[in-house]
């Protein structure tokens, strides 16, 4: 009798341990990955660091980026449109040339980039002098996607086509990458500021030829930065140059210094 009671007690204990283990597993949060290579190969807004636009060269503007830490609702909507896009074979379509068409760049925290461009249809015409002229136009509601997981493919999506063609300006408006004075007075304070930077800090220098007259680093807060300085009073009047490096690009622009 005692053996039967002991066996029943052990069975009940084992069942309770199993139930507790299942309950613990159900309430344990999933480990969050910061990359794009998940087991389900899906894209998550929490993995995105920046979303920004690229223009055909040349362009004096950058886009005000979406920032993963605060714009997750818009980023999630963009990723939803990508998931809903219908993949097509892209027959008679051409991949758009880099830097020659608009592009949405989704940069993940692991530095992978997913890029979306309007798909192209190109035709070649032979001229009388023997030269070949190629003309390319965008294909309505068709896009080209370069995905770090899936690779490159064509897809149909009216929402993404409209977004990369013109609607991006509502979420990612054009901004000047920097604003600097074109003229400075010796001994006077000045302010330099910028927008749309995708870096932790920006380096601003004032140069005379290769000689650095003044240099300062400005921290970037959600794409915006600003620094204040004052010129030494013993500089010679003349032409100098600003040099601004924001981690992605380097800009040079002239400045006149007077007494």
């Amino acid at each position: 009798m005692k053996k039967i009671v002991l066996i029943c007690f052990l069975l009940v204990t084992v069942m309770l341990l199993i139930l507790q283990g299942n309950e613990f597993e159900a309430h344990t949060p999933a480990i969050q990955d910061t990359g794009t290579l998940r087991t389900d190969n899906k894209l998550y807004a929490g993995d995105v660091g920046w979303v920004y636009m690229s223009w055909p060269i040349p362009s004096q503007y950058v886009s005000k980026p979406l920032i993963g830490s605060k714009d997750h609702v818009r980023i999630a909507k963009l990723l939803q449109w990508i998931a809903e896009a219908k993949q097509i074979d892209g027959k008679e379509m051409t991949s758009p040339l880099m830097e020659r068409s608009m592009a949405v760049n989704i940069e993940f925290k692991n530095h992978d980039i997913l890029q979306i461009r309007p798909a192209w249809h190109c035709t070649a015409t032979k001229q009388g002098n023997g030269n070949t002229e190629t003309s390319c136009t965008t294909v309505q509601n068709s896009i080209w996607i370069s995905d770090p997981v899936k690779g490159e493919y064509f897809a149909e999506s009216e929402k993404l086509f409209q977004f990369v063609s013109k609607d991006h300006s509502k979420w990612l408006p054009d901004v000047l990458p920097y604003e600097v004075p074109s003229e400075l007075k010796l001994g006077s304070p000045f302010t330099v500021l910028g927008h749309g930077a995708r870096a932790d800090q920006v380096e601003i220098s004032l140069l005379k030829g290769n000689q650095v007259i003044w240099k300062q680093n400005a921290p970037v807060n959600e794409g915006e930065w600003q620094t204040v300085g004052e010129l030494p009073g013993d500089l010679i009047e003349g032409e100098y140059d600003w040099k601004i490096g924001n981690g992605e690009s380097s800009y040079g622009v002239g400045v006149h210094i007077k007494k």
Side-chain angles (χ1 to χ4, degrees), residues 26 50 57 75 94 99 102 108 121 202 231 237:
W50 307 91
I57 55 176
I75 292 173
T94 303
E99 299 184 336
M102 298 296 292
F108 295 90
H121 173 70
V202 172
L231 287 179
E237 286 187 287

Side-chain angles (χ1 to χ4, degrees), residues 17-31:
L17 289 173
I18 292 173
L19 290 172
Q20 288 175 352
N22 290 339
E23 182 179 2
F24 174 79
E25 183 178 355
H27 288 85
T28 301
I31 297 174

Side-chain angles (χ1 to χ4, degrees), residues 24 164 167 180 189:
F24 174 79
V164 72
D167 289 350
V180 294

Side-chain angles (χ1 to χ4, degrees), residues 84-103:
E84 294 171 349
K86 179 183 177 182
Q87 190 166 342
I88 57 179
D89 61 13
K91 186 178 180 181
E92 298 184 355
M93 292 185 191
T94 303
S95 302
L97 293 175
M98 301 301 105
E99 299 184 336
R100 297 293 179 181
S101 73
M102 298 296 292

Side-chain angles (χ1 to χ4, degrees), residues 153-229:
Y153 64 94
F154 291 96
E156 286 183 352
S157 172
E158 181 180 356
K159 292 177 180 177
L160 287 175
F161 181 84
Q162 292 298 326
F163 186 85
V164 72
S165 299
K166 61 178 182 180
D167 289 350
H168 61 82
S169 60
K170 299 175 184 177
W171 289 2
L172 302 95
D174 294 358
V175 293
L176 291 169
Y178 61 86
E179 296 181 43
V180 294
S182 59
E183 188 173 79
L184 294 175
K185 189 174 181 180
L186 294 177
S188 298
F190 60 84
T191 300
V192 179
L193 54 88
H195 319 279
R198 303 188 310 277
D200 294 330
Q201 64 178 11
V202 172
E203 183 180 89
I204 308 99
S205 304
L206 181 66
L207 307 175
K208 182 66 173 178
N210 294 324
Q211 182 184 2
V212 178
I213 306 301
W214 176 91
K215 183 169 73 173
Q216 188 168 314
N217 291 333
V220 178
N221 180 22
E222 297 184 344
E224 303 295 306
W225 57 270
Q226 178 174 312
T227 187
V228 177

